[in-house]
Amino acid sequence: MTATIHRLNPSGRVPSLEPMMALVANDMNQVNSVILARMQSDIPLIPELAGHLIAGGGKRMRPMLMLACARMLDYTGTRQHKLAASVEFIHTATLLHDDVVDKSDLRRGRRTANLIWGNPASVLVGDFLFSRSFELMVEDGSLKALRILSNASAVIAEGEVNQLTAQRQVETGEDRYLEIIGAKTAALFAAACRIAAVVAERPESEELALDAYGRNLGIAFQLVDDAIDYASDEETMGKGVGDDFRDGKVTLPVILAHARGSAEDRAFWRDAMHGHRISDADLAHAKTLLEQTGALADTLERARHYGQRAIDALGSFGASQAKATLVEAVEFAIARAY
């Protein structure tokens, strides 16, 4: 195979996940069947609560990426269905837990499960979904797939705890922040893509290439999320505008704006991250500082950098429809901010 270099959205058109969704539609039907079957329980609250989030309009991006990677590798079996469902269960469980930790009341434009059923039920159903995900891994029978996904689960938890300890710490450095999102967000993207090469029994070099693709895409995806928390609206985001600001989450835009600001600006950011400046007027002032310091623009530029790294990681794979959808998925992740 010869390396193919792709540039991030050279056509200037609006990218979409639709080509990937169409490509893996039949496989996703099988994955959704597994998800529906495995979220059932004799305890009615479990499928009711789990279904609220699972059916809540998410794009299923992580399992779709796994399925598209398997297609790119010309895998024609069925092992990817249970493993993709396992990936989605891990993701859903972390969302249930995150909403409890963050005290969120809106997710994908709907009330969060913890707001409806309470924190204890959300945590316990999240635990149930984690357990289901491990059952599916074991049923696949691959120790390598089990190792990759179980490690990702542990890394995600470490990233969440790391973020919790950094909450309201406005002096958090950019390197530590990238370490946090590399764990809490990018690890599952990377694992989802890598296990496609495992089920296709491809060489480790291809595993690592897909790992790099998913990891860089995950970082880019999170950086864009960080930016649009300040630059979008509730209808577009599906959650409250400025939630990160009011929750004292020290994201990259805040880190950059704090580092570049005057003494007065830095005092504002310290007060804001400690919960003393959370009004609409304070949020508007924060947005002004982010614009003035170039923090939002530079956060998005970093996202583009990681997006390009994700695309470059696919360079050793030959041209195919599946590869084209994987490239466009990166373009879509970046374009959400524009």
Side-chain angles (χ1 to χ4, degrees):
M1 291 183 293
T2 58
T4 304
I5 303 301
H6 300 269
R7 292 297 168 217
L8 194 56
N9 198 19
S11 67
R13 63 177 174 77
V14 178
S16 168
L17 288 180
E18 293 294 331
M20 180 179 289
M21 294 169 70
L23 178 74
V24 302
N26 291 335
D27 284 325
M28 275 306 303
N29 286 336
Q30 297 300 315
V31 174
N32 288 332
S33 293
V34 175
I35 289 172
L36 181 63
R38 296 308 181 93
M39 68 184 228
Q40 299 307 313
S41 168
D42 293 335
I43 310 301
L45 177 60
I46 291 176
E48 184 181 2
L49 191 154
H52 174 78
L53 184 54
I54 289 173
K59 295 181 177 63
R60 304 261 208 277
M61 189 170 183
R62 292 151 189 82
M64 276 203 304
L65 287 169
M66 182 195 169
L67 298 175
C69 287
R71 282 294 190 93
M72 184 178 68
L73 300 176
D74 297 321
Y75 177 67
T76 58
T78 60
R79 289 175 58 195
Q80 74 274 37
H81 300 148
K82 283 187 176 181
L83 289 173
S86 176
V87 166
E88 186 64 12
F89 277 151
I90 292 171
H91 177 56
T92 305
T94 61
L95 294 184
L96 286 170
H97 290 167
D98 286 353
D99 286 342
V100 170
V101 172
D102 296 340
K103 302 180 178 65
S104 301
D105 57 14
L106 201 64
R107 165 77 64 179
R108 297 169 182 163
R110 308 172 75 198
R111 290 191 301 163
T112 54
N114 54 297
L115 187 66
I116 300 171
W117 289 280
N119 289 341
S122 291
V123 170
L124 293 172
V125 172
D127 292 344
F128 172 85
L129 294 179
F130 265 126
S131 300
R132 282 288 193 246
S133 74
F134 279 90
E135 286 181 352
L136 290 166
M137 294 177 216
V138 171
E139 287 174 19
D140 175 71
S142 167
L143 283 177
K144 179 177 275 191
L146 176 61
R147 183 172 67 250
I148 291 168
L149 286 174
S150 60
N151 176 257
S153 299
V155 169
I156 292 166
E158 287 177 332
E160 294 290 357
V161 174
N162 197 4
Q163 182 177 52
L164 187 65
T165 60
Q167 189 170 0
R168 305 193 186 283
Q169 303 300 315
V170 75
E171 294 82 9
T172 299
E174 183 174 347
D175 287 346
R176 183 181 179 191
Y177 183 67
L178 290 172
E179 176 185 301
I180 289 171
I181 66 174
K184 80 180 191 71
T185 302
L188 191 56
F189 277 86
C193 295
R194 181 171 184 170
I195 56 176
V198 174
V199 300
E201 299 181 349
R202 302 298 282 260
E204 188 174 16
S205 60
E206 294 188 11
E207 283 184 40
L208 296 176
L210 292 180
D211 183 288
Y213 166 80
R215 193 171 306 279
N216 284 292
L217 170 55
I219 293 173
F221 194 91
Q222 184 61 59
L223 290 175
V224 171
D225 266 5
D226 294 346
I228 63 178
D229 188 70
Y230 290 94
S232 188
D233 55 71
E234 186 171 304
E235 182 177 354
T236 301
M237 296 166 60
K239 65 175 185 175
V241 177
D243 277 359
D244 289 352
F245 176 75
R246 294 188 175 93
D247 291 343
K249 285 189 178 179
V250 181
T251 57
L252 186 59
V254 173
I255 291 169
L256 297 178
H258 174 265
R260 297 170 180 177
S262 65
E264 181 181 354
D265 295 341
R266 290 195 293 274
F268 167 81
W269 286 115
R270 285 194 297 273
D271 287 345
M273 292 298 101
H274 283 87
H276 306 312
R277 303 288 294 269
I278 59 173
S279 69
D280 289 345
D282 291 325
L283 177 59
H285 183 59
K287 291 179 179 180
T288 298
L289 295 180
L290 291 169
E291 293 288 347
Q292 288 177 348
T293 58
L296 279 181
D298 284 351
T299 296
L300 293 175
E301 185 56 37
R302 282 163 173 75
R304 290 181 62 84
H305 166 75
Y306 284 100
Q308 187 62 61
R309 287 178 62 172
I311 292 173
D312 290 347
L314 299 177
S316 62
F317 297 100
S320 67
Q321 183 183 6
K323 179 177 176 179
T325 69
L326 290 167
V327 171
E328 187 162 358
V330 178
E331 296 169 346
F332 167 81
I334 304 298
R336 295 177 304 137
Y338 295 93

